[in-house]
C-alpha cells in the first residue's frame, strides 16, 4: 500500500470474491524489458535525461538549450528517472546537472543502488528554457550500478547529467576504531567508505606496480580489510502516467491529499539547500495548520494588510472577495483574486456569524495545472478540508459542509496546505444550501 497523497487515517483493508462485473482495464504491469536489459552509460561521461530505462511521472519535450535535442519536464514530487551506469574506476566524481526553472524550490537527490550520494537545490534560472549547470561531488565505486534521480520538489526541467572524474583524490579521513570487527562492521554499512577503500586499494596496486625498486622496512602484517561489497540493485518500478499539461509559472507543483483527516497532518521538515533531504520521498511534505481551541492570533502579514484587530467583520451567511483578508502569508493579489499560493500559505478574515448551526462553505477556484487543498479553520480549530481539482485554467466552485458553528464574532483562516491555484471569492450559506455559490 503506497500513499502518495497522505493526511488520512486507515483502519482496515479486505479482499472478497467478486460478485459482479470484473474490471475491464488490465492492471499495470512491469515493463517487458526493464532496466535489467538496457545498456549502461559510461562514467565518467554525459547522460541525456530522456535516455532513462525507467521513470515515474516525467514527460519529454524539445529543448532550446545548447546542442538542441530534448529535456525532461513536468516534474512533480515523487517523480524519478533511472539509468544503468558503468563506472570506470572508483574515484571522486563531480556530478553536474543541466537545469532550467521559473521557480526557486526544486530539489533533486542522486542515488546509486539505493544509496543517497548527494542532492541539488534548483534555483530560479529565469525561464523554463534558460538552462544553467549545477554541480556537487560524490564518490562512486567501479562497476555496474543503477543511478536514480529522485525529484523531491519539482517545477524544473532537466536536459542532461554528467559525471566528471575529480583531479584531486577523495578525502581519506575516517573514524578511529578499537578493533578489526568494528572496522568491518562500519565497512559493511557505509557505502561511501567502501568506495574509499576500493579506491585506496587501486592506488596502492598502481604504486606497487610502478615502484618495483622500493625496499620498505618489513612491518607486521595488518589485519585484512574486507573487500568492498556490491551495493544492492534496485528492482525496476512501474512506469507512471506523465502529467498532461504545461506547468503554470505562477504556481508551485504539489501532491494534494484527498482525505478528510481526523487528526492534523504532521508539518513537513524544512529543507536546507546545503544538506541532503531527510524526509521520506514516499510521504508528501504537506505543512499542517495548528489545532488550538483558543483564538488564532494574527501573524505579521507579508503584504502588509490592515491588522485584523482593526478590520471590520464580514457577515455570515454571505459572500466576500478572497482579497478582503485582514492577514495573510505568502499570497498575492493579481487581477482581483489571490494567487501565487504555495504550500503553507493562508489568508484570514474577521467574520460575524448570524446564527449557530450548520453551514455550506464554497470557494471559487482556478487551478491551471496542479491539484491543491484548502483547510478551513475557525478560531484555530479545523472545520473542513477541501480538495482543489485540476480545472485546466477554468474557474470552478467547490463546496463542503461545516457542522456546529457557533454564532458571534470569529477569526476565519483559509489555509492552503497544498497550493498551485487561484481563489476569487469565498462564501457561506446556511444549512446544506449555499445561494451565494
Amino acid at each position: 500500500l503506497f500513499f502518495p497523497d497522505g493526511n488520512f487515517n486507515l483502519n482496515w483493508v479486505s479482499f472478497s470474491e467478486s460478485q459482479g462485473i470484473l474490471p475491464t482495464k488490465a492492471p499495470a504491469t512491469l515493463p517487458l524489458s526493464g532496466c535489467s536489459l538496457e545498456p549502461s552509460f559510461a562514467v565518467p561521461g554525459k547522460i541525456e535525461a530522456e535516455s532513462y530505462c525507467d521513470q515515474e511521472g516525467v514527460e519529454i519535450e524539445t529543448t532550446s538549450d545548447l546542442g538542441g535535442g530534448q529535456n525532461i519536464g513536468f516534474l512533480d514530487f515523487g517523480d524519478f528517472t533511472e539509468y544503468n551506469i558503468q563506472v570506470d574506476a572508483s574515484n571522486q566524481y563531480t556530478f553536474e546537472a543541466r537545469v532550467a526553472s521559473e521557480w526557486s524550490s526544486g530539489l533533486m537527490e542522486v542515488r546509486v543502488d539505493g544509496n543517497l550520494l548527494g542532492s541539488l537545490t534548483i534555483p530560479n534560472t529565469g525561464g523554463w528554457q534558460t538552462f544553467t549547470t549545477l554541480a556537487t561531488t560524490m564518490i562512486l565505486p567501479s562497476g555496474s550500478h543503477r543511478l536514480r534521480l529522485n525529484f523531491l520538489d519539482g517545477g524544473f526541467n532537466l536536459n542532461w547529467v554528467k559525471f566528471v572524474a575529480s583531479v584531486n583524490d577523495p578525502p581519506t579521513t575516517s573514524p578511529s576504531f578499537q578493533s578489526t570487527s568494528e572496522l568491518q562492521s562500519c565497512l559493511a554499512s557505509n557505502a561511501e567508505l567502501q568506495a574509499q577503500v576500493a579506491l585506496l586499494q587501486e592506488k596502492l596496486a598502481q604504486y606497487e606496480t610502478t615502484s618495483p625498486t622500493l625496499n620498505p622496512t618489513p612491518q607486521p602484517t595488518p589485519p585484512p580489510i574486507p573487500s568492498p561489497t556490491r551495493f544492492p540493485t534496485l528492482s525496476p518500478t512501474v512506469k507512471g502516467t506523465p502529467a498532461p499539461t504545461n506547468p503554470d509559472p505562477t504556481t508551485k507543483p504539489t501532491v494534494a491529499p484527498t482525505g478528510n483527516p481526523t487528526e492534523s497532518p504532521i508539518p513537513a521538515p524544512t529543507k536546507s539547500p546545503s544538506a541532503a533531504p531527510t524526509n521520506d520521498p514516499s510521504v508528501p511534505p504537506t505543512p499542517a495548520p495548528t489545532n488550538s481551541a483558543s483564538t488564532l492570533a494574527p501573524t505579521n502579514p507579508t503584504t502588509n494588510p490592515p491588522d485584523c484587530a482593526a478590520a471590520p467583520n464580514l457577515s455570515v451567511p454571505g459572500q466576500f472577495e478572497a482579497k478582503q483578508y485582514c492577514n495573510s502569508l505568502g499570497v498575492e493579489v493579481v487581477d482581483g483574486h489571490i494567487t501565487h499560493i504555495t504550500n503553507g500559505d493562508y489568508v484570514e478574515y474577521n467574520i460575524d456569524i448570524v446564527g449557530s448551526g450548520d453551514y455550506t462553505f464554497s470557494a471559487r477556484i482556478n487551478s491551471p495545472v496542479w491539484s491543491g487543498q484548502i483547510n478551513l479553520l475557525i478560531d484555530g480549530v479545523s472545520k473542513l478540508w477541501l480538495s482543489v481539482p485540476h480545472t485546466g485554467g477554468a474557474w470552478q466552485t467547490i463546496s463542503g459542509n461545516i457542522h456546529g458553528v457557533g454564532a458571534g464574532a470569529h477569526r476565519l483562516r483559509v489555509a492552503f496546505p497544498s497550493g498551485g491555484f487561484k481563489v476569487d471569492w469565498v462564501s457561506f450559506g446556511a444549512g446544506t444550501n449555499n445561494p451565494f455559490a
Side-chain angles (χ1 to χ4, degrees), residues 28-342:
T29 58
L30 293 175
L32 295 179
S33 60
C35 289
S36 59
L37 300 180
E38 294 296 323
S40 297
F41 294 95
V43 172
K46 185 169 76 171
I47 304 172
E48 294 293 334
E50 70 274 12
S51 299
Y52 47 75
C53 60
D54 199 4
Q55 62 90 18
E56 173 73 34
V58 308
E59 286 193 36
I60 298 175
E61 64 181 2
T62 302
T63 182
S64 58
D65 194 14
L66 297 175
Q70 297 175 313
N71 64 257
I72 63 173
F74 307 90
L75 306 178
D76 203 357
F77 171 84
D79 293 349
F80 68 86
T81 53
E82 289 187 347
Y83 313 83
N84 290 331
I85 59 174
Q86 180 68 37
V87 182
D88 179 60
S90 300
N91 201 352
Q92 178 170 288
Y93 291 85
T94 299
F95 174 82
E96 298 179 355
R98 189 71 171 171
V99 300
S101 178
E102 287 190 2
W103 296 331
S104 57
S105 59
L107 182 61
M108 175 177 70
E109 68 173 17
V110 183
R111 291 181 177 266
V112 172
D113 297 336
N115 299 279
L116 178 61
L117 299 186
S119 63
L120 290 173
T121 299
I122 315 301
N124 184 338
T125 65
W128 296 111
Q129 290 296 320
T130 305
F131 282 88
T132 188
T133 303
L134 306 180
T136 186
T137 58
M138 58 190 64
I139 295 174
L140 297 178
S142 61
S144 299
H145 303 284
R146 179 74 54 80
L147 168 67
R148 181 178 177 121
L149 305 179
N150 281 333
F151 307 114
L152 302 187
D153 209 343
F156 62 94
N157 292 334
L158 177 64
N159 189 3
W160 50 255
V161 297
K162 183 190 297 184
F163 289 94
V164 180
S166 299
V167 177
N168 298 324
D169 292 340
T172 58
T173 303
S174 61
S176 59
F177 299 93
Q178 301 298 321
S179 66
T180 303
S181 61
E182 291 181 6
L183 175 59
Q184 291 174 336
S185 176
C186 179
L187 282 173
S189 60
N190 192 318
E192 184 174 343
L193 192 56
Q194 291 175 20
Q196 292 184 20
V197 170
L199 176 61
L200 290 175
Q201 289 175 335
E202 289 184 7
K203 296 289 185 181
L204 179 60
Q206 294 173 5
Y207 180 80
E208 291 174 346
T209 302
T210 57
S211 305
T213 59
L214 292 179
N215 185 23
T217 304
Q219 299 291 333
T221 303
I225 297 177
S227 299
T229 58
R230 288 289 302 276
F231 298 160
T233 301
L234 293 176
S235 60
T237 55
V238 181
K239 291 194 176 184
T241 302
T245 56
N246 290 324
D248 183 347
T250 65
T251 58
K252 175 182 178 181
T254 56
V255 177
T258 58
N260 185 3
T262 59
E263 299 178 0
S264 297
I266 299 174
T270 302
K271 293 192 283 287
S272 171
S274 61
T278 58
N279 54 308
D280 184 347
S282 66
V283 181
T286 305
T290 301
N291 271 341
S292 172
S294 61
T295 301
L296 190 66
T299 58
N300 291 329
T302 58
T303 52
N304 297 319
D307 181 55
C308 285
N313 290 338
L314 303 173
S315 182
V316 172
Q319 176 180 304
F320 43 91
E321 298 296 318
K323 66 181 179 180
Q324 291 180 266
Y325 55 78
C326 61
N327 192 20
S328 73
L329 176 65
V331 304
E332 295 183 23
V333 176
V334 177
D335 297 331
H337 52 255
I338 61 174
T339 184
H340 295 180
I341 300 172
T342 57

